[in-house]
Amino acid sequence: MTRTLKAMLLAGSAMFAAQSAGAVEIEYWQYIFDTRVEAMDRLIEMFEAENPDITVKQVTFPYADYQTRVIAANLAGNGPDVLQLFYGWTDTFVDAGVLQPLSQDAFPHEMIESEFFPIVGAMVRDGEYYGLPTAVRSLALFYNKNLFAAAGIDNPPETLDELVADAIALTERDAGGNITTEGITLDMAGQDHQWWREALVRQFGGAPYSDDNRTVTYNSEAGVAATRWYTDLETVHHVGTSGFMDEGQAAFRAGRAAMTIDGTFRLGAFGGIEDFEWGVTELPANNDGMRSNYASYFANGIGAGAEGEELEAAEKFLAFVTTPEAMQVWLEVVGELPARRAAALTEANASDPIYGPFLKGLEYAHTTQFLDEAGQRQVAIDMVNRILLQGQSPEDSVAEAAAQEQAILDQAN
Amino acid sequence: MTTTADTGAPRLSMRTRRALWVWGFLALPLLFYGVIRFYPTLDAFWLSLTNANPGNLRRGPEFIWFDNYLRLFTSRDFWQVFRNTFAYLILGTPISLVLSFVIAYYLDKLRFGHTFLRALYFLPFLTTASAMGWVWRWFYQPAPTGIINSALGAMGIPGLDFLRSTTWALPSIMVTAIWAGLGFQIIIFMAGLRAIPQSYYEAAHIDGLGAGAILRRITLPLLKPTTVFLVVFSSIGFLRIFDQVYNMTTNDPGGPLGSTKPLVLLIYQTAFQSYQMGYASAMTVVLFTVLLVISLLQLWILRDRG
């Protein structure tokens, strides 16, 4: 009895020793989203082929639990070595001690700043980068080619004025005057709040926030004008109704909206449309030709607990998932745009009728530094609802929204 | 060996041994409840006095006395949500009870198709609240997709905004919630009605009492324990309403301008979307207090004076 036990123990410890001497295992965490998990599986396979002494274990959680799990696991000392995080969570994760700054030897700042799109700047805290994205997302205007052809419009709108004119021509109503096909969707709970904040407010000559992102600055003539332009779509031009078919993307997918503004992440869902042809174009410019866009991304950071050879392996893995080849895999599997200029702006990508407009948007995109994303989004939704449902003037509503959002920013600081 | 052990152990009386057994068995659920239920409940009281959030979990949250409560009581959002919560309670409970009593009362008299009808009324109670929420959400849509508005349109009546209106969103959700809970209340009322001895009714008939008098003098007073149970049960249900509201308004949770948002949804958003655990705990304590006071008040008002 004892002899067998001893033998087993010996064998066990020998195996353990062999493993710890020869190989490092690191954990990569992200939330569950089929194509993202699949893309990461492929990247891990590629990485392990190049680095036979490193094993990467992918661990996933439902999106709703993800942040809590990461923070709780980190407290318990079981945090990941490399993890995916939304850029907007950086403050929380840095405060909670989940992340460690990227070492400047492995990831020199000059390299990051010259090779990545400038929006990665949102990952900097106290002069250090806390993560790098594989892929980024931006917004564009989706349009229904069949409805455009039926209305006799050859090209999608280039400017905001053209957008209004086209939307008027494209809107269809029943005998009772109810809209049956929207010219453009109004969905502040969807991507319209990002469009309004980072594109419209800037195109009307304003800025949503101060440079340090601590002060709300859209309570200005420009902010009011941008808001009025947006709500006029419903109240003056009657080219769309907020809440029509529940969500803007649902209306577009059903062929009951000629235009909608949405992100790269919607490409998968719209890819299944069979009833009509659709196209993508850049967000319309203002009358001076100025364009703006909103970009966001999930970055990969290194867990605070990674040390020694695990840290080394984690840095190797992070460097690998931010290589141009990895970005191309991510683009093919997930449909998100490469975060490096060179990888994104290839001839093939830039001339792609679908990726092209999103990529052009990245050049002039802004990234909102959210402190409480859900709360700040709610402020924008309520601002438009007060105008549409309660008849409040855009001036008053924008002022109220600015005060509410400032309170959120102050609370978080 | 065994004999020494036997004599060495203190002799326990049958009574003590039985008590030990009982406590042994009771300890398990007690421990479970203690760790899973009571400890987190008590901890919420402590958390409500701190600025706990994920960012300061590691170094420990700061104790900030009653700042969370002050912020709560001066917040316009909180009072709106508080009003909404009470609107669900004050309208929902009586309407659902009267409705379920009337249905139970007549269903009880019915012989033909009784079981079938009873099953039909009970069916919504078996359905998942979120699935129901989504079905009703589509009922309430504007003309091309919503059944109700399409029907109204066909009759030449202009469509109603339902969930998109700050006035009608809350009643629209309440209808769903009442409908969902009706089956359960009907079954409980019918059980209560069946429990009233038939001889009372026979005696009343012999004495020549009318149907109205029988209802007032016999049925309602004898149904009181059932009513008390349902009032408390349904009040707590309406005060904790969440599933219907959340699922019917997911893209703007809590309806346009928060017009349907109940306290529980605000707590959920504060805790798990804005991650302000301390502030959310303060709301939880307020909800706990409200539930406690209302339940005690109802028990006291509807107590047995006999």
Side-chain angles (χ1 to χ4, degrees):
Chain A
M1 273 294 267
T2 33
R3 197 172 293 169
T4 3
L5 195 74
K6 258 187 195 164
M8 274 168 69
L9 272 173
L10 257 172
S13 55
M15 269 162 66
F16 182 73
Q19 201 178 19
S20 63
V24 191
E25 191 188 81
I26 55 170
E27 279 192 15
Y28 177 81
W29 285 21
Q30 70 167 332
Y31 67 89
I32 298 172
F33 190 91
D34 286 347
T35 54
R36 303 178 86 88
V37 176
E38 189 193 325
M40 192 40 75
D41 280 339
R42 271 174 65 176
L43 291 181
I44 289 173
E45 216 170 281
M46 289 161 68
F47 177 75
E48 286 177 345
E50 277 178 31
N51 300 276
D53 55 333
I54 303 175
T55 339
V56 183
K57 187 174 150 206
Q58 181 173 199
V59 182
T60 57
F61 300 102
Y63 185 80
D65 296 347
Y66 185 69
Q67 287 189 67
T68 336
R69 295 261 192 157
V70 168
I71 288 164
N74 185 60
L75 271 176
N78 300 323
D81 298 298
V82 182
L83 70 154
Q84 198 168 84
L85 71 147
F86 190 60
Y87 79 95
W89 305 339
T90 310
D91 280 313
T92 312
F93 278 17
V94 169
D95 284 351
V98 170
L99 295 169
Q100 54 177 298
L102 303 184
S103 86
Q104 299 214 22
D105 297 335
F107 304 95
H109 287 187
E110 309 82 65
M111 180 277 290
I112 297 175
E113 274 143 31
S114 64
E115 295 178 10
F116 283 77
F117 282 105
I119 48 173
V120 297
M123 294 310 295
V124 177
R125 295 292 179 283
D126 297 324
E128 299 282 354
Y129 280 88
Y130 278 87
L132 283 177
T134 301
V136 295
R137 309 108 70 94
S138 62
L139 301 180
L141 179 75
F142 288 81
Y143 64 102
N144 181 321
K145 289 185 176 172
N146 295 29
L147 292 176
F148 268 68
I153 305 170
D154 296 330
N155 292 307
E158 279 292 313
T159 64
L160 293 174
D161 286 353
E162 283 178 31
L163 183 142
V164 173
D166 289 351
I168 292 171
L170 287 157
T171 307
E172 288 167 30
R173 295 186 182 76
D174 66 9
N178 301 311
I179 290 184
T180 53
T181 304
E182 288 183 306
I184 182 164
T185 60
L186 279 92
D187 189 356
M188 216 50 185
Q191 295 304 311
D192 284 6
H193 73 105
Q194 318 274 25
W195 180 39
W196 167 79
R197 197 184 282 112
E198 292 295 356
L200 292 177
V201 170
R202 289 177 195 277
Q203 288 178 313
F204 278 81
Y209 306 97
S210 63
D211 288 339
D212 63 356
N213 290 301
R214 293 292 186 248
T215 314
V216 175
T217 54
Y218 56 71
N219 184 18
S220 59
E221 245 173 75
V224 172
T227 311
R228 176 172 288 122
W229 182 87
Y230 179 79
T231 52
D232 274 358
L233 291 172
E234 175 165 339
T235 56
V236 177
H237 309 302
H238 306 292
V239 295
T241 314
S242 178
F244 181 77
M245 289 201 65
D246 217 27
E247 285 177 57
Q249 57 95 4
F252 186 80
R253 213 182 325 186
R256 290 192 175 273
M259 292 183 272
T260 191
I261 284 173
D262 220 317
T264 12
F265 34 82
R266 194 64 69 196
L267 289 172
F270 285 174
I273 295 176
E274 287 174 359
D275 299 342
F276 58 89
E277 296 271 306
W278 52 272
V280 181
T281 187
E282 280 176 90
L283 293 185
N286 68 7
N287 291 338
D288 304 329
M290 181 236 183
R291 291 182 199 264
S292 187
N293 204 311
Y294 165 77
S296 62
Y297 51 88
F298 279 85
N300 293 298
I302 294 184
E307 289 172 339
E309 54 181 6
E310 283 176 1
L311 176 59
E312 217 172 283
E315 282 177 342
K316 263 191 194 165
F317 185 63
L318 178 57
F320 174 76
V321 297
T322 51
T323 54
E325 309 120 84
M327 291 178 181
Q328 196 58 37
V329 169
W330 201 267
L331 176 72
E332 282 158 17
V333 181
V334 186
E336 287 187 329
L337 312 167
R340 277 175 191 265
R341 277 214 180 83
L345 302 171
T346 60
E347 198 70 35
N349 286 344
S351 59
D352 187 288
I354 301 216
Y355 294 129
F358 287 107
L359 285 169
K360 281 185 204 149
L362 281 180
E363 293 283 4
Y364 47 79
H366 294 268
T367 297
T368 314
Q369 292 264 12
F370 287 111
L371 290 174
D372 171 4
E373 197 203 2
Q376 287 172 268
R377 168 176 166 266
Q378 191 66 52
V379 167
I381 296 174
D382 289 351
M383 175 189 75
V384 165
N385 273 340
R386 278 193 300 273
I387 300 170
L388 296 182
L389 301 178
Q390 297 186 321
Q392 198 180 30
S393 73
E395 286 83 0
D396 293 347
S397 193
V398 169
E400 202 174 322
Q404 284 174 358
E405 192 165 355
Q406 189 62 55
I408 292 179
L409 298 186
D410 293 344
Q411 189 71 38
N413 282 330
Chain B
M1 283 297 271
T2 41
T3 41
T4 36
D6 254 359
T7 45
R11 283 233 168 244
L12 297 173
S13 72
M14 192 66 177
R15 226 178 120 93
T16 331
R17 251 192 263 176
R18 197 182 290 163
L20 272 178
W21 270 109
V22 169
W23 280 106
F25 278 114
L26 281 179
L28 206 66
L30 211 64
L31 193 78
F32 181 77
Y33 263 91
V35 174
I36 302 290
R37 276 263 151 112
F38 301 137
Y39 166 69
T41 310
L42 291 175
D43 203 43
F45 281 87
W46 149 250
L47 272 182
S48 73
L49 303 176
T50 70
N51 64 351
N53 65 46
N56 60 25
L57 264 180
R58 193 174 39 141
R59 43 176 197 277
E62 283 167 55
F63 188 75
I64 53 166
W65 289 103
F66 294 97
D67 279 10
N68 285 328
Y69 291 93
L70 279 178
R71 185 176 154 205
L72 199 61
F73 295 133
T74 50
S75 150
R76 207 176 45 174
D77 288 351
F78 172 73
W79 287 114
Q80 159 147 34
V81 163
F82 205 72
R83 273 197 307 276
N84 290 344
T85 310
F86 273 84
Y88 285 117
L89 170 75
I90 289 166
L91 296 173
T93 305
I95 292 176
S96 70
L97 285 181
V98 169
L99 213 60
S100 56
F101 175 75
V102 171
I103 295 172
Y105 184 74
Y106 286 105
L107 201 59
D108 191 43
K109 298 197 183 311
L110 196 71
R111 288 287 160 265
F112 178 75
H114 173 90
T115 323
F116 175 70
L117 274 176
R118 199 175 51 181
L120 216 58
Y121 277 113
F122 196 67
L123 216 54
F125 190 72
L126 299 176
T127 316
T128 320
S130 53
M132 233 154 34
W134 276 87
V135 171
W136 278 85
R137 175 181 176 158
W138 286 97
F139 283 173
Y140 284 137
Q141 288 296 305
T145 37
I147 292 185
I148 302 174
N149 272 325
S150 299
L152 289 178
M155 290 184 285
I157 303 167
L160 281 170
D161 268 339
F162 293 118
L163 298 173
R164 275 293 297 164
S165 147
T166 44
T167 326
W168 293 108
L170 192 139
S172 304
I173 288 180
M174 189 134 56
V175 167
T176 320
I178 290 176
W179 173 74
L182 213 57
F184 176 75
Q185 296 181 343
I186 290 172
I187 294 292
I188 300 292
F189 263 133
M190 288 204 3
L193 286 171
R194 291 283 162 90
I196 300 173
Q198 213 54 41
S199 51
Y200 293 179
Y201 290 113
E202 282 158 13
H205 276 302
I206 292 167
D207 288 347
L209 278 184
I214 291 179
L215 180 66
R216 256 193 339 273
R217 303 262 172 88
I218 298 177
T219 313
L220 287 180
L222 286 173
L223 214 52
K224 195 162 156 189
T226 312
T227 318
V228 173
F229 167 74
L230 282 177
V231 166
V232 174
F233 197 82
S234 119
S235 302
I236 293 177
F238 277 109
L239 282 174
R240 297 192 328 186
I241 189 166
F242 177 85
D243 309 36
Q244 279 93 359
V245 185
Y246 186 72
N247 285 294
M248 288 173 77
T249 55
T250 37
N251 34 8
D252 183 0
L257 300 172
S259 53
T260 67
K261 193 183 288 182
L263 193 48
V264 183
L265 181 52
L266 184 67
I267 293 173
Y268 170 75
Q269 288 179 322
T270 312
F272 302 112
Q273 286 177 349
S274 300
Y275 290 100
Q276 303 177 34
M277 299 298 177
Y279 190 40
S281 297
M283 295 181 195
T284 319
V285 170
V286 170
L287 178 65
F288 173 80
T289 316
V290 169
L291 281 172
L292 188 71
V293 168
I294 288 188
S295 303
L296 290 178
L297 209 68
Q298 284 170 342
L299 287 175
W300 182 74
I301 291 173
L302 297 168
R303 73 192 182 283
D304 238 337
R305 270 170 252 245

